[in-house]
């Protein structure tokens, strides 16, 4: 019985290590390789009906600048990534055009400002607040 418990524990540990391999270390090269489009926001699939002028986007530059569409208004700012996977959006600004159907825009901008961690997984960029995924981006097809 003791051998079975030890074997089960070792197998569970190995599977845990293997599953961690699917999360890549985030580098500027990964972020700058694509323009990104929002696919999930605060745990829900992003819906174009929540954004007045299309799905929100994000572009990251090697110079640590970011910009894109928040769904109606354009935004920009700077970003920082730490060796530990920490993330910070800094000096974020947005235009102030009126869009009647942009109820998701403020949620998008709040999630961007609240994100404090970043990871990539299976070709996606994931922004987190603690352990909670707040934004998932996929490569833009445009």
């Amino acid at each position: 019985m003791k051998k079975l418990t030890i074997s089960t524990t070792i197998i569970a540990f190995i599977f845990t290590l293997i599953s961690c391999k699917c999360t890549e270390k985030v580098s500027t090269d990964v972020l700058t390789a694509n323009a990104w489009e929002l696919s999930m926001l605060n745990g829900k699939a992003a819906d174009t009906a929540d954004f007045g002028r299309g799905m929100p986007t994000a572009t990251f530059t090697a110079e640590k600048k970011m910009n894109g569409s928040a769904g109606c208004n354009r935004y920009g700012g700077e970003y920082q990534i730490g060796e530990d996977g920490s993330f910070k959006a800094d000096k974020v600004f947005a235009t102030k055009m009126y869009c009647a159907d942009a109820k998701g825009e403020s949620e998008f901008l709040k999630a961007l400002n609240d994100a404090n961690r970043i990871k990539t997984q299976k070709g996606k960029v994931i922004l987190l607040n603690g352990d909670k995924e707040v934004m998932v981006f996929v490569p833009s097809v445009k």
Side-chain angles (χ1 to χ4, degrees):
M1 184 68 166
K2 189 174 183 179
K3 286 183 180 181
L4 180 60
T5 303
I6 291 171
S7 296
T8 304
T9 303
I10 291 171
I11 290 170
F13 180 71
I14 290 170
F15 278 113
T16 301
L17 288 177
I18 291 170
S19 68
C20 290
K21 296 286 185 196
C22 63
T23 301
E24 309 155 14
K25 182 179 176 194
V26 178
S27 72
T28 305
D29 293 342
V30 172
L31 290 178
T32 60
N34 289 301
W36 302 95
E37 185 174 283
L38 185 70
S39 87
M40 301 284 287
L41 181 60
N42 292 321
K44 299 177 200 160
D47 184 354
T48 54
D50 293 336
F51 303 97
R53 295 190 176 148
M55 198 61 76
T57 60
T59 302
F60 299 90
T61 71
E63 294 78 25
K64 306 288 190 213
K65 305 279 186 199
M66 64 179 185
N67 64 68
S69 167
C72 173
N73 288 285
R74 303 285 305 161
Y75 72 92
E78 299 176 0
Y79 71 95
Q80 300 168 11
I81 299 175
E83 288 290 321
D84 59 352
S86 61
F87 174 85
K88 179 172 176 38
D90 197 24
K91 300 178 184 173
V92 177
F93 63 90
T95 59
K96 297 185 187 276
M97 295 183 292
Y98 173 76
C99 290
D101 299 329
K103 62 184 177 186
E105 184 172 80
S106 59
E107 185 179 0
F108 173 86
L109 292 169
K110 180 177 181 345
L112 181 63
N113 281 305
D114 289 347
N116 57 21
R117 292 188 42 233
I118 188 170
K119 67 181 181 179
T120 56
Q121 189 173 36
K122 298 180 183 177
K124 298 177 182 177
V125 171
I126 303 167
L127 297 179
L128 305 100
N129 184 335
D131 290 332
K132 179 185 174 197
E133 291 183 1
V134 292
M135 304 175 99
V136 177
F137 290 92
V138 296
S140 178
V141 292
K142 294 179 184 177

